Amino acid sequence: MDLGLRGRTALVGGASAGLGRATAEWLAQEGCKLALWSRGGDKLEQAAEEIRKLYSVVVVTVAGDAADPTAASKVAWQAERALGEIDIVVLNAGGPIASEATKPDAAEWRRSFQLLTLTPIEIASALLPGMRKRGWGRVVSIMSSGIRQPIPDLVYSNACRSALQAWLKTIAEEVIADGVTVNGVIPGRLDTERVATLDKARALKLGVSAAEVRAERERTIPAGRYGRPDELAAYVAWLCSDLSCYQTGTFVPIDGGMLRSLP
Ligand SMILES: NC(=O)c1ccc[n+]([C@@H]2O[C@H](COP(=O)([O-])OP(=O)(O)OC[C@H]3O[C@@H](n4cnc5c(N)ncnc54)[C@H](OP(=O)(O)O)[C@@H]3O)[C@@H](O)[C@H]2O)c1
């Protein structure tokens, strides 16, 4: 199916690995010009090189730490300088640390709020005026199941992403009349480095193997397995397309049925 994305420009966060990388590949396959954003380094450059070769599209890289209060304006500016106006932004970066919710750490709260709430808000805010002026734009945020059902040990993620969700829902109403949609996807447990790291940390805590943790978690997923990053990326690409123009303000789980709650 042609999603009608050929020639569109997209800034994709967390694009050197995992869900961001898979999303970048889907958008490249659809003919988008890409600005791949992460903290930078060899992994990011390698991702860009591989995507260029595989899909013959323009791919540039932008380095910036989402936990840095000055990152958002630099990342948005560099992406626009390299590609021109940005049509699509995929808000995504790394996750926060696991912690005990009853032992708050003020510095970690501030860092997580910058990483998961303020930086995405600031990047989207920098790019929205251009999208609205041109009458077309897509904002898609990669969230977490913690916004529906708080995850033990991930209080920073649960709280900071819920704040981001509230902001996204608020602006979705404001910008749809200008042809800009704002949506989120909720990954359950998709097979990436981050999930492997969290599984290892839990294994260490419980004194079992990471394979046992994974097997225990897979039993709680009706699909019986962790998802693949491309299974989420396909849906993000759909949200970025013209075909989804009447869908806004939604947050859709891609989780093999893991979340039992009604929306
Ligand atoms: N995978 C899942 O099932 C799942 C479930 C719930 C939520 N999530 C959330 O979805 C997001 C992506 O997860 P993932 O599984 O794809 O993780 P991942 O495989 O660890 O990839 C994270 C990506 O973000 C970049 N990144 C990390 N810290 C960053 C920072 N401070 N600033 C800018 N970029 C940064 C990394 O690149 P560099 O190292 O090059 O910076 C990498 O490209 C995370 O926020 C995660 O918590 C994932």
Side-chain angles (χ1 to χ4, degrees):
M1 189 192 305
D2 181 1
L3 295 179
L5 284 167
R6 191 151 298 280
R8 293 279 185 203
T9 52
L11 169 61
V12 181
S16 68
L19 307 181
R21 160 87 194 241
T23 298
E25 289 216 26
W26 254 93
L27 294 177
Q29 189 181 301
E30 293 298 320
C32 286
K33 298 177 200 165
L34 296 176
L36 306 187
W37 164 43
S38 82
R39 286 168 297 185
D42 290 348
K43 209 168 51 164
L44 182 64
E45 294 309 324
Q46 197 183 328
E49 189 51 32
E50 286 170 10
I51 293 173
R52 256 181 233 120
K53 274 198 188 132
L54 275 171
Y55 304 102
S56 304
V57 290
V58 173
V59 184
V60 300
T61 57
V62 179
D65 185 337
D68 171 357
T70 68
S73 55
K74 287 186 211 154
V75 167
W77 182 78
Q78 283 179 38
E80 286 186 312
R81 194 183 54 165
L83 293 186
E85 286 151 337
I86 301 294
D87 300 314
I88 295 163
V89 60
V90 178
L91 303 172
N92 178 48
I97 58 161
S99 69
E100 285 183 48
T102 50
K103 294 187 181 158
D105 174 334
E108 197 51 46
W109 270 110
R110 275 190 281 274
R111 184 185 175 279
S112 300
F113 192 69
Q114 185 68 53
L115 173 75
L116 298 171
T117 317
L118 270 184
T119 295
I121 288 175
E122 288 167 347
I123 289 192
S125 300
L127 299 175
L128 273 168
M131 293 179 187
R132 297 179 79 178
K133 204 165 138 209
R134 296 189 300 281
W136 199 95
R138 297 287 181 266
V139 178
V140 181
S141 180
I142 298 182
M143 318 286 292
S144 158
S145 60
I147 65 171
R148 286 274 180 86
Q149 185 178 302
I151 304 170
D153 299 344
L154 287 179
V155 66
Y156 299 117
S157 170
N158 301 335
C160 296
R161 292 187 212 265
S162 294
L164 176 63
Q165 182 188 28
W167 182 79
L168 293 166
K169 187 73 183 166
T170 307
I171 62 151
E173 182 178 329
E174 234 177 271
V175 301
I176 183 65
D178 298 321
V180 180
T181 66
V182 180
N183 292 287
V185 289
I186 302 176
R189 295 199 81 78
L190 306 182
D191 219 342
T192 65
E193 283 167 37
R194 167 146 176 99
V195 163
T197 305
L198 290 173
D199 283 358
K200 269 186 218 147
R202 185 160 175 79
L204 209 61
K205 194 171 162 185
L206 300 179
V208 298
S209 71
E212 283 171 289
V213 168
R214 181 172 174 142
E216 174 209 319
R217 286 184 156 151
E218 284 180 335
R219 279 194 288 278
T220 70
I221 302 172
R225 63 173 175 86
Y226 285 6
R228 298 190 315 270
D230 65 285
E231 290 173 321
L232 175 132
Y235 186 67
V236 174
W238 151 264
L239 286 175
C240 292
S241 77
D242 263 337
L243 301 175
S244 68
C245 63
Y246 200 60
Q247 179 173 353
T248 197
T250 67
F251 299 88
V252 175
I254 307 290
D255 67 352
M258 189 183 93
L259 279 174
R260 262 55 173 208
S261 60
L262 292 169

